[in-house]
Amino acid sequence: MTAPLRLFNSLTREQDVFAPVHSGEARVYSCGPTVYNYPHIGNMRAYVFADVLGRTLSFKGYRLTHVINITDVGHLTDDADAGEDKLEKAAAAGAKSIWDIAKHFTEAYWADVRALNIRQPARWSIATDYVPQMIDFAQKIAPDHCYELDSGLYFDVSTVAHYGALARAKTDEGESRIAPVDGKRNAADFAIWRKTPPGESRQMEWDSPWGRGAPGWHLECSVMSGDLLGFPFDIHTGGIDHREIHHPNEIAQNQAFCHSDASGAKIWMHNNFLVERSGKMSKSSGEFLRLQLLNDRGYHPLAYRLLCLQAHYRSELEFSWEGLGAALVRLKRLTLAAAPLRDAAEGAEPGPAFAPLLARFDAAISDDLNTAVALTVLDEALALKKADPAARRAAIAAMDAVLGLRLLDLDRADLRLRPTNAELAESQVGEALERRRSARAARDFAASDAIRDELAAKGVEVMDGDPLGWDWKL
Ligand code: AMP
Ligand code: ZN
């Protein structure tokens, strides 16, 4: 593919042309979920974005190594150093072992990953598997960059160049979010190791040169990304909240470890939030939208994926059920248009008829992952009904390899999910519609309307004259 790949780098605050550290390769690290609760659909936006990035790098011909971590220790209820460990807190509330909690929510997260057709990364790295490496890393940076207090080992942010250059919030705003810890030299200093207070014990704790305790949250990502991808690696991703505290702290650690002013990754990319009208969706507020809820209400998970792709990853995206419904209708149209191609020969070349469209698709996706424009090019390719089916299939397959909507294997019936609270079985709806057709044929419109109202009362909307031929929806 010919267009240069341009990606917005939060560090330089401009689009950089992607130039791999290792020729022909792309190494990407994405901050993963903290597994103390179910992921909400806002969290999953971060992984749909990272997935599109990975798929784009593959499309551009790079050999991709993608690592996503699982944070099962250390993330406090506040991104800085205040509060309790989120997992310890969840364990206490549910009276379950912290390890059971982590396992349960990791599996729930993986189920969402599969449902959203997010490709498996080369590696899921689990934070608690890396504690010895974290201690090792901390020992290397401690002499020049850290100091010990009663509560733990702290990183002195004044020992590295340009601390916080990545963050957009003004320093004082950032600092006001950080609860003071007695004895910290700078407000932004953060824990590398958190000692277990005397007389207490935690379910997750390890011995270290600074006493028994647990690693600070920021440490794991520096250690796992450096270990698995090598410094410097190509791209580090996360949600924009990470741009303010977590990633500046990772960068400070990387600088200390590498004895360098460089950040450890060439490009830092951040997806914007999925918001609700009432504000940012968040896990800790206790009430949030899970992918399963969308399913239960009859929305296929890939409709949510499409909703994400319709917006640019750097723009805020407001969630609404109407918007999700519109995305589902669009997905139905796309699968319907792609359906005849399923039987076309596989493995053909897209050929000259599709070259201009593929070039435009490439240009869109190479323009900082402009999926919204790429989708309109897909629409055009699906509309070229006269072209050779095998060539069309190949072109659609190439585009969908980036978008990941499963257009060539989803069936329109797959997209019609029965909400768990639906009162009528599919056959009952069919039977009522049949009665209604007879009534209309007999020009008994009162009876026909009565049947429509009866169905509406049970949550089924009759769709007269739907261009896609859907008789009803829930
Ligand atoms: P967490 O499990 O809280 O560590 O978050 C997992 C990922 O989701 C991180 O990359 C966050 O930055 C991201 N994230 C959190 N809330 C949202 C949201 N409302 N919209 C998009 N991304 C989010
Ligand atoms: Zn991280």
Side-chain angles (χ1 to χ4, degrees):
M1 290 297 150
T2 46
L5 175 59
R6 282 174 289 116
L7 300 171
F8 185 86
N9 187 349
S10 301
L11 201 56
T12 57
R13 288 152 164 76
E14 52 190 37
Q15 287 194 357
D16 284 359
V17 172
F18 178 73
V21 174
H22 303 272
S23 155
E25 276 192 57
R27 301 188 184 183
V28 180
Y29 183 91
S30 300
C31 284
T34 308
V35 286
Y36 70 103
N37 205 340
Y38 293 103
H40 57 61
I41 57 174
N43 296 129
M44 297 315 293
R45 186 184 187 198
Y47 305 104
V48 169
F49 149 65
D51 182 54
V52 170
L53 172 66
R55 287 168 175 270
T56 299
L57 289 160
S58 300
F59 175 77
K60 306 290 283 181
Y62 297 105
R63 195 147 41 80
L64 174 70
T65 307
H66 190 188
V67 173
I68 305 179
N69 74 289
I70 301 287
T71 297
D72 56 354
V73 67
H75 192 168
L76 301 185
T77 48
D78 182 298
D79 273 0
D81 289 329
E84 301 163 77
D85 187 301
K86 288 182 172 180
L87 272 121
E88 293 274 354
K89 192 176 161 200
K96 264 192 187 171
S97 116
I98 202 166
W99 300 95
D100 290 339
I101 290 180
K103 180 166 184 286
H104 177 78
F105 293 118
T106 302
E107 277 163 11
Y109 164 70
W110 281 337
D112 285 1
V113 162
R114 282 191 298 275
L116 290 168
N117 201 27
I118 292 168
R119 293 195 306 184
Q120 292 290 316
R123 185 78 169 250
W124 296 106
S125 61
I126 316 282
T128 48
D129 289 344
Y130 283 83
V131 175
Q133 289 91 323
M134 291 190 228
I135 292 174
D136 203 48
F137 186 108
Q139 276 187 294
K140 291 201 171 100
I141 64 172
D144 290 337
H145 301 277
C146 301
Y147 57 94
E148 209 173 328
L149 298 177
D150 288 345
S151 52
L153 183 72
Y154 287 83
F155 191 98
D156 180 341
V157 300
S158 70
T159 62
V160 291
H162 330 292
Y163 172 77
L166 183 69
R168 289 294 177 83
K170 281 221 260 352
T171 343
D172 45 342
E173 272 173 47
E175 285 175 4
S176 70
R177 288 187 48 200
I178 301 175
V181 170
D182 273 351
K184 270 211 237 179
R185 293 182 190 163
N186 313 284
D189 290 355
F190 56 91
I192 292 281
W193 190 262
R194 296 173 298 122
K195 296 186 205 174
T196 307
E200 284 182 28
S201 73
R202 292 175 175 148
Q203 289 194 44
M204 280 187 178
E205 55 180 11
W206 294 262
D207 286 321
S208 84
W210 314 281
R212 231 177 137 60
W217 167 46
H218 314 293
L219 188 56
E220 64 176 76
C221 287
S222 282
V223 170
M224 295 189 284
S225 63
D227 245 50
L228 294 166
L229 300 176
F231 292 127
F233 56 92
D234 295 296
I235 303 173
H236 195 312
T237 80
I240 42 167
D241 48 337
H242 289 348
R243 196 181 61 192
E244 306 306 318
I245 296 178
H246 180 49
H247 290 170
N249 291 355
E250 268 189 69
I251 290 173
Q253 294 167 156
N254 297 349
Q255 290 175 308
F257 185 79
C258 299
H259 305 287
S260 155
D261 288 350
S263 72
K266 300 284 256 223
I267 301 182
W268 293 77
M269 293 177 77
H270 297 98
N271 63 279
N272 210 323
F273 282 133
L274 181 76
V275 295
E276 288 178 284
R277 216 150 293 172
S278 54
K280 167 186 171 294
M281 207 168 281
S282 87
K283 247 192 255 190
S284 47
S285 70
E287 256 194 7
F288 52 81
L289 293 164
R290 285 174 55 193
L291 200 59
Q292 186 59 47
L293 178 69
L294 272 48
N295 245 290
D296 291 349
R297 294 207 181 165
Y299 298 92
H300 195 279
L302 291 176
Y304 177 65
R305 182 177 174 106
L306 180 56
L307 185 75
C308 292
L309 300 184
Q310 290 179 160
H312 192 263
Y313 74 90
R314 292 210 294 127
S315 306
E316 228 171 53
L317 172 59
E318 184 175 306
F319 178 80
S320 70
W321 292 101
E322 297 74 40
L324 183 63
L328 180 60
V329 169
R330 186 173 188 191
L331 184 60
K332 284 174 177 172
R333 285 175 199 279
L334 291 170
T335 45
L336 208 63
L341 301 176
R342 244 170 274 165
D343 300 327
E346 262 181 81
E349 289 293 321
F354 288 95
L357 282 175
L358 277 167
R360 278 172 48 213
F361 182 89
D362 178 36
I365 206 73
S366 302
D367 176 16
D368 195 27
L369 314 180
N370 197 333
T371 46
V373 171
L375 278 167
T376 64
V377 181
L378 171 72
D379 286 335
E380 287 183 50
L382 282 167
L384 280 185
K385 297 216 166 70
K386 293 208 187 91
D388 168 54
R392 232 170 115 224
R393 184 193 163 107
I396 301 305
M399 295 181 191
D400 200 38
V402 175
L403 301 169
L405 293 169
R406 292 180 49 202
L407 295 182
L408 291 168
D409 64 285
L410 264 190
D411 217 60
R412 114 179 188 168
D414 295 333
L415 293 174
R416 188 148 75 194
L417 302 183
R418 240 179 87 67
T420 45
N421 63 355
E423 291 179 46
L424 295 175
E426 199 137 331
S427 62
Q428 290 170 302
V429 178
E431 185 267 331
L433 287 176
E434 200 43 60
R435 271 193 292 126
R436 183 165 175 268
R437 262 190 290 276
S438 309
R440 281 160 71 98
R443 307 191 62 78
D444 184 351
F445 296 111
S448 151
D449 287 350
I451 296 170
R452 192 190 54 207
D453 294 345
E454 193 187 299
L455 285 168
K458 302 209 157 133
V460 176
E461 184 187 334
V462 177
M463 297 161 73
D464 289 323
D466 177 64
L468 297 181
W470 297 81
D471 296 333
W472 56 275
K473 69 176 183 189
L474 289 153

